[in-house]
Amino acid sequence: MSDVTRGGQFLVKETKCEDIFTPEDFSEEQLMMRDSVKEFVDKELWAHKDRFEKKDYAYTQECMKKAGDLGLLGVAVPEAYGGLGMGFVSTMLVCDYISGATGSFSTAFGAHTGIGTMPITLYGTEEQKQKYVPKLASGEWFGAYCLTEPGAGSDANSGKTKAVLSEDGTHYKITGGKMWISNAGFCSLFIVFARIGDDKNITGFIVENDPSNGITMGEEEHKLGIRASSTRQVFFSETKVPVENMLSERGNGFKIAMNALNVGRIKLAAACLDAQRRVISGSVKYANERIQFNTPISKFGAIRSKLAEMATSCYAGESASYRAAKDIENRIIAREAEGATHQDAELKGVEEYAIECSILKVAVSEDVQNCADEGIQIFGGMGFSEDTPMESAWRDARIARIYEGTNEINRMLSVGMLIKKAMKGHVDLLGPAMKVAEELVGIPSFETPDYSELFAEEKEMVVKLKKAFLMVAGSAVQKFGPDLDAHQQLLMAASDMLIEIYMAESTILRTEKLAKKEGEDKVQEQIAMAKLYLYQAVDIVTQKGKESVISFVEGDEQRMMLMGLRRFTKYTNMPNIVGLRETITTKLVAENEYCF
């Protein structure tokens, strides 16, 4: 398995464009699946968007049933338990396209298929899987996930819900309150996390939703967005759970919760993609139709700039999300080939790429918010009205930065996990970081390189951005060692550098692969997006790198590192930013939709 790239290695290994999967590589079968999902969404969800905004919880449930009838709730479930047993990329694709119309449905879908079903398929015993998973895969039953408590949010392991073994040893009695439980109003089964005795870690349980067994609920929460997703508090009072319903082993709940969230994170990134495509298409159509000063507003540079940036972020999000999804799938296939069970292969495959999952969760959830925000702005006053879909898109987008671990937690996790991997020897960060330190005191080359090949300069820029990250992170690890965790602002800045490197590289590699296949002249707009994304990534790396260096380093070392940062963020040939945006928007406006 040595040839399979490890998670986090993108930082220190060169990735060739032939080695990454892109949305242009979907198979016929995957494209058919995508089209059938889009048909379902347009007919059942998009056409009835107002019902979701009016808090029609019953309609959300009805649509979930229909999705179950079409097999869409079982895409990630192995065939042995009534699912479609699709590969990881295909499950991403379904999640992507089913989530674009309304956050209410995508939350119900994500909570059920992800954190509601997956803990059983990945950690359940054979009996548990036989008993529960087919019902969940078909939509006969719906699942919910009870982790968060009033006093336990980001600090998930601090929950107070108790599980006490009965005197005859046949069942546990669970007592405690959970909050923000998606699908609570119509679920048949909960995955509940509770603490046994004074255990250091919580334990997972499969709990059937039976109101006569000490289970009560609060009213539906009134929320900023995702209005028709059922969100309630759930209270357990000596709820009896048979001992055979413990999930995995005692004290393993925190691990289950974290691994379920890893999968949830990359799927959440996917769930933000089609929302962006729809917002962009709606914005382009409106800009083409809206006449001001006797001119469609799509001809005005201020609007054109917005459209180009929105499309570029979406294209980058697609590029990085499907790159990581395929890396995970390859890892799962390799593990299965070595004899691992599907359960173990999937767990280890996703865990391997936990860094990328956190990066994507942060990047794409922030992009969808910006996209919807600019969508409102392009619509002007109409965008603020409930008569257009922009304001609901904006409200729905807001939750994405909070659930599956807040973006702050995920930022710190991405760098923290990378450093842990380096300590374990899974990713050699120290070697490359030492080389960068040596390069800083060496004499730079003043030769003018040959940049005649497509992306030659851009790919060299990405290599330099990686050096900038290694310089800052290497210095931080040396300086603070194990206490680095306490320096959250430094971790946050470093993570922004890391995120931009992964996103920019993914976008360039996708476009290079596409240009080799189609010819450069056919993909001028994609080339422009890759260059535009990189330019902004360089800006962010410059800003965050500088903030880190001037806050945590002093004297000669500071001067040396600032000089290094300038060297690592310097273009030989600056791109024409307005020109790039013009290229992108001209195509969008002509096609009257997001067309990449």
Side-chain angles (χ1 to χ4, degrees):
M1 240 174 62
S2 55
D3 56 336
V4 181
T5 308
R6 301 201 70 138
Q9 271 188 342
F10 71 88
L11 246 187
V12 290
K13 270 180 84 164
E14 188 198 350
T15 306
K16 296 201 167 10
C17 71
E18 292 78 12
D19 297 338
I20 72 158
F21 181 87
T22 74
E24 288 75 35
D25 298 324
F26 292 134
S27 65
E28 280 303 308
E29 187 191 8
Q30 285 171 326
L31 292 173
M32 278 165 59
M33 190 73 197
R34 179 192 71 182
D35 292 342
S36 66
V37 171
K38 279 167 82 167
E39 193 183 336
F40 164 76
V41 171
D42 285 332
K43 190 168 130 226
E44 306 295 346
L45 309 181
W46 191 256
H48 303 285
K49 205 167 158 67
D50 57 322
R51 294 183 69 171
F52 294 102
E53 294 317 305
K54 291 185 178 123
K55 306 189 182 182
D56 190 339
Y57 302 107
Y59 190 62
T60 301
Q61 190 177 348
E62 190 185 314
C63 291
M64 283 287 287
K65 272 265 185 277
K66 286 180 181 162
D69 295 341
L70 291 171
L72 298 174
L73 300 180
V75 287
V77 171
E79 289 175 51
Y81 310 107
L84 297 178
M86 287 187 166
F88 197 83
V89 172
S90 297
T91 67
M92 278 282 282
L93 189 61
V94 170
C95 185
D96 174 347
Y97 281 90
I98 210 162
S99 303
T102 162
S104 297
F105 181 83
S106 62
T107 298
F109 177 84
H112 170 75
T113 55
I115 50 185
T117 304
M118 199 182 318
I120 306 178
T121 56
L122 294 186
Y123 286 97
T125 60
E126 194 50 42
E127 295 72 32
Q128 288 169 345
K129 288 189 286 191
Q130 295 286 0
K131 183 174 178 182
Y132 294 115
V133 177
K135 290 178 173 167
L136 293 166
S138 67
E140 180 192 339
W141 279 27
F142 293 118
Y145 179 86
C146 298
L147 177 63
T148 305
E149 298 182 13
S154 295
D155 183 6
N157 203 25
S158 66
K160 302 276 189 280
T161 298
K162 286 280 176 215
V164 179
L165 189 61
S166 62
E167 283 177 12
D168 62 2
T170 58
H171 59 268
Y172 283 93
K173 289 181 187 163
I174 292 185
T175 302
K178 298 287 182 178
M179 70 190 303
W180 310 129
I181 307 308
S182 297
N183 295 353
F186 58 83
C187 73
S188 325
L189 170 155
F190 299 105
I191 308 285
V192 181
F193 294 92
R195 194 177 311 278
I196 304 171
D198 290 329
D199 286 4
K200 178 174 175 252
N201 291 326
I202 49 182
T203 299
F205 296 90
I206 302 168
V207 182
E208 293 180 27
N209 184 8
D210 171 7
S212 69
N213 185 17
I215 300 176
T216 52
M217 304 218 181
E219 290 298 306
E220 287 287 354
E221 299 284 354
H222 298 289
K223 308 185 294 290
L224 171 70
I226 56 170
R227 286 181 170 171
S229 96
S230 172
T231 313
R232 297 181 165 196
Q233 284 188 296
V234 182
F235 303 100
F236 301 96
S237 177
E238 303 221 326
T239 301
K240 290 181 180 171
V241 185
V243 287
E244 58 269 23
N245 274 29
M246 181 187 285
L247 196 52
S248 184
E249 58 225 39
R250 176 171 174 171
N252 218 14
F254 187 56
K255 192 168 172 85
I256 297 173
M258 292 305 104
N259 281 330
L261 290 177
N262 282 335
V263 185
R265 280 163 188 159
I266 188 168
K267 294 282 172 78
L268 179 61
C272 294
L273 292 172
D274 199 50
Q276 288 181 77
R277 292 187 204 104
R278 286 175 184 261
V279 165
I280 295 163
S281 293
S283 299
V284 174
K285 285 182 173 68
Y286 184 80
N288 277 334
E289 289 160 16
R290 173 75 169 164
I291 309 289
Q292 288 293 282
F293 310 104
N294 296 328
T295 312
I297 65 169
S298 61
K299 286 207 161 70
F300 295 130
I303 300 293
R304 295 174 76 82
S305 164
K306 291 182 190 302
L307 292 171
E309 299 288 350
M310 291 155 80
T312 299
S313 291
C314 182
Y315 179 75
E318 293 169 349
S319 309
S321 297
Y322 286 104
R323 171 190 183 180
K326 182 62 171 158
D327 282 341
I328 290 172
E329 186 174 292
N330 290 345
R331 191 80 179 180
I332 293 169
I333 292 166
R335 291 228 171 232
E336 285 182 326
E338 290 177 347
T341 62
H342 173 75
Q343 271 176 298
D344 198 49
E346 179 139 334
L347 265 175
K348 289 281 187 286
V350 176
E351 199 176 348
E352 178 63 50
Y353 288 94
I355 294 166
E356 286 80 352
C357 291
S358 280
I359 286 174
L360 287 164
K361 192 274 181 183
V362 173
V364 188
S365 67
E366 293 181 359
D367 286 342
V368 72
Q369 184 85 58
N370 294 336
C371 185
D373 197 71
E374 292 288 39
I376 291 181
Q377 198 67 13
I378 289 167
F379 273 73
M382 283 308 295
F384 206 71
S385 160
E386 286 185 7
D387 294 340
T388 62
M390 292 297 148
E391 67 86 38
S392 63
W394 185 84
R395 286 186 289 99
D396 283 354
R398 189 60 188 82
I399 188 63
R401 283 153 54 199
I402 299 170
Y403 57 22
E404 307 285 358
T406 66
N407 284 10
E408 290 68 31
I409 289 282
N410 273 291
R411 276 189 162 88
M412 290 183 287
L413 268 177
S414 59
V415 179
M417 290 187 291
L418 183 65
I419 290 165
K420 275 202 186 78
K421 280 196 157 212
M423 303 286 186
K424 282 185 184 163
H426 293 180
V427 176
D428 176 21
L429 280 189
L430 223 60
M434 298 299 281
K435 279 206 186 84
V436 173
E438 284 162 27
E439 192 178 325
L440 287 182
V441 291
I443 296 165
S445 154
F446 292 108
E447 285 171 42
T448 309
D450 172 20
Y451 288 140
S452 50
E453 212 171 288
L454 176 68
F455 290 138
E457 177 163 11
E458 285 74 18
K459 289 199 292 192
E460 192 178 286
M461 275 312 284
V462 170
V463 170
K464 292 197 293 190
L465 295 183
K466 291 176 182 179
K467 288 179 180 175
F469 174 84
L470 289 166
M471 175 182 78
V472 170
S475 158
V477 171
Q478 269 183 322
K479 201 176 184 73
F480 301 116
D483 299 335
L484 187 57
D485 281 1
H487 297 275
Q488 290 194 349
Q489 295 191 46
L490 179 56
L491 285 174
M492 300 280 283
S495 78
D496 280 339
M497 299 169 79
L498 186 67
I499 289 165
E500 292 308 322
I501 290 165
Y502 188 71
M503 302 300 288
E505 180 180 67
S506 302
T507 310
I508 289 166
L509 292 174
R510 171 188 181 180
T511 311
E512 184 187 10
K513 190 175 186 182
L514 185 61
K516 284 183 176 175
K517 191 171 122 195
E518 304 284 342
E520 282 180 43
D521 52 330
K522 299 269 197 313
V523 294
Q524 285 301 309
E525 296 80 19
Q526 286 91 333
I527 290 171
M529 289 193 284
K531 290 182 172 180
L532 179 60
Y533 193 93
L534 175 66
Y535 175 78
Q536 282 156 349
V538 172
D539 260 2
I540 292 170
V541 169
T542 304
Q543 183 200 342
K544 298 295 177 178
K546 186 174 167 187
E547 180 188 308
S548 306
V549 172
I550 62 180
S551 301
F552 296 96
V553 188
E554 291 171 341
D556 284 347
E557 193 189 352
Q558 186 190 86
R559 277 192 291 281
M560 180 78 84
M561 284 175 74
L562 287 174
M563 189 183 74
L565 188 63
R566 280 196 294 277
R567 195 189 298 178
F568 297 143
T569 53
K570 185 170 179 279
Y571 276 92
T572 304
N573 306 289
M574 285 286 198
N576 173 349
I577 297 305
V578 173
L580 295 177
R581 290 193 194 122
E582 275 302 308
T583 300
I584 299 159
T585 307
T586 301
K587 174 86 166 170
L588 286 171
V589 166
E591 299 281 337
N592 205 27
E593 64 176 358
Y594 179 80
C595 51
F596 303 112

